[in-house]
Amino acid sequence: MNFKFFIHYGLHFVVPFFIAFLFFRKQWKTVYLIFLLSMLVDLDHLLANPIFDKNRCSINFHPLHSYIAIAIYFIGLFFKKTRILCFALLFHMLTDFIDCYL
């Protein structure tokens, strides 16, 4: 396991825990679960050939990681019912974007 692995999965699992606990104290477990469930967007990787390529940037390659999808996630921030989910999805996209440059 290397530096990139720890940064990537730390951003996917550890940082969302702290976001949930620090900013959503009363409902941190639910918010953290939403962050974890936001990783289901990675199912779009199954459409790629090969499914995993360590040198491929996910952003704008996979359908749920496209700029259009990211724009939809951003619009979702303006609606109370989708705000936390869209924040989680955008954080996921930021994590994958950072991964492109590590």
Side-chain angles (χ1 to χ4, degrees):
M1 291 185 232
N2 59 20
F3 175 74
K4 183 177 179 176
F5 175 88
F6 284 109
I7 295 297
H8 184 78
Y9 288 103
L11 287 170
H12 274 313
F13 291 99
V14 178
V15 173
F17 170 80
F18 286 109
I19 290 171
F21 190 75
L22 293 173
F23 297 105
F24 302 94
R25 181 86 37 123
K26 290 183 180 178
Q27 55 185 4
W28 74 269
K29 291 177 186 174
T30 303
V31 171
Y32 184 59
L33 181 62
I34 291 169
F35 267 84
L36 294 179
L37 290 173
S38 75
M39 286 187 256
L40 290 173
V41 300
D42 282 338
L43 288 173
D44 65 357
H45 291 239
L46 297 173
L47 301 172
N49 188 12
I51 292 172
F52 176 74
D53 180 356
K54 67 178 182 170
N55 297 317
R56 179 172 56 217
C57 181
S58 297
I59 302 300
N60 212 36
F61 184 84
H62 304 291
L64 297 176
H65 291 69
S66 68
Y67 295 139
I68 293 170
I70 292 169
I72 292 168
Y73 306 151
F74 182 77
I75 291 167
L77 293 174
F78 296 101
F79 302 97
K80 189 173 183 175
K81 290 188 180 232
T82 58
R83 186 170 296 142
I84 293 174
L85 174 61
C86 289
F87 180 69
L89 289 166
L90 287 170
F91 189 80
H92 180 100
M93 296 303 127
L94 177 64
T95 298
D96 286 356
F97 178 77
I98 291 168
D99 195 46
C100 295
Y101 295 97
L102 290 179

